Amino acid sequence: MIKAENIRKHYGKLEVLKGVDLHIKQGEIISIVGASGAGKTTLLQILGSLDTMDKNPTSKLIINDVEISKLKDKALAKFRNEQLGFIFQFHQLLPEFTALENVCIPAFIKGTSKKEAEQKAEKLLEFLGLSHRFDHKPDQLSGGEQQRVAVARALINDPKVVYADEPSGNLDSESAENLHQLFFTLRDTFGQTFVIVTHNNEFADMADRKLVMRDGNLI
Ligand SMILES: Nc1ncnc2c1ncn2[C@@H]1O[C@H](COP(=O)(O)OP(=O)(O)O)[C@@H](O)[C@H]1O
Ligand SMILES: [Mg+2]
């Protein structure tokens, strides 16, 4: 599903990723742990096509049989919108919009009709236990609820892969545990692949595979 080979990244003179190799199978839940500054976010951003790796003839990123590094801007944006989902530490919901509207946005970008997007968003929010929160704005929701809205937003276009960067980093322990359980339920229900950076050791150990990042390498 994901084949990353010799992923390198410099920021100026600083070498942040030093040749990461990573193969992930469809439906796997992968956790990535490591000290702050190890390069986890940079790796996730590159795997998610939100950042670019250094150009190198032996470097490759293939997701779902598509070689990402060869896509032009427009094709890449389409691929990202339709095949990848993102969940961040701070939910990054748009404050002016309701939960339902926030969830619909990636579907609108894809070109889904308003009616179809809303039906899908309602179904997802119901699945996530938020049927009574459609019309709430983010600041009217708890941290755990905000993060579940962000999960629904990540899932609305049925992505093949979901990337999450410390998704429970900002949650109380009960909400964090619920969110972690949710990732397994989603994988079992929809078959998605999850790549999750976390500082939560318990959750990291529950994943199908736990990867440790140190100084720009997976060890
Ligand atoms: N846009 C950037 N410009 C310059 N340096 C950066 C940038 N993003 C990250 N870094 C540096 O790269 C290193 C790895 O950062 P990051 O991937 O965020 O680590 P982690 O997520 O593991 O804490 C850090 O030393 C950080 O300061
Ligand atoms: Mg980080």
Side-chain angles (χ1 to χ4, degrees), residues 23-168:
H23 289 195
I24 299 173
K25 291 200 266 308
Q26 164 92 48
E28 260 193 307
I29 296 186
I30 302 287
S31 63
I32 301 179
V33 299
S36 175
K40 306 180 299 296
T41 293
T42 305
L43 177 63
L44 211 64
Q45 298 262 332
I46 289 174
L47 294 178
S49 78
L50 297 170
D51 198 352
T52 52
M53 58 183 158
D54 294 348
K55 284 207 178 0
N56 187 312
T58 61
S59 299
K60 237 186 221 165
L61 175 57
I62 297 170
I63 300 176
N64 205 19
D65 294 325
V66 177
E67 189 161 353
I68 302 304
S69 31
K70 296 215 166 122
L71 294 180
K72 297 266 187 297
D73 290 354
K74 224 174 147 185
L76 185 61
K78 184 172 154 68
F79 182 88
R80 195 187 299 124
N81 172 253
E82 294 179 3
Q83 312 251 0
L84 309 178
F86 296 92
I87 302 162
F88 305 96
Q89 177 174 0
F90 303 99
H91 53 77
Q92 307 212 354
L93 300 171
L94 298 175
E96 302 302 315
F97 292 91
T98 66
L100 192 76
E101 289 164 343
N102 267 285
V103 175
C104 284
I105 288 169
F108 293 152
I109 292 171
K110 183 180 173 183
T112 308
S113 73
K114 184 159 188 279
K115 188 165 166 231
E116 197 184 325
E118 282 179 353
Q119 280 174 353
K120 184 99 181 272
E122 285 175 9
K123 258 171 75 181
L124 274 169
L125 286 170
E126 275 164 19
F127 181 82
L128 297 171
L130 292 168
S131 43
H132 53 314
R133 295 285 185 272
F134 290 171
D135 298 324
H136 286 55
K137 301 229 170 117
D139 67 1
Q140 299 168 325
L141 299 168
S142 73
E145 288 171 338
Q146 290 168 348
Q147 208 50 314
R148 277 182 284 149
V149 174
V151 171
R153 179 184 55 183
L155 295 176
I156 185 121
N157 287 343
D158 296 316
K160 299 282 187 304
V161 184
V162 177
Y163 296 107
D165 195 354
E166 300 189 37
S168 57

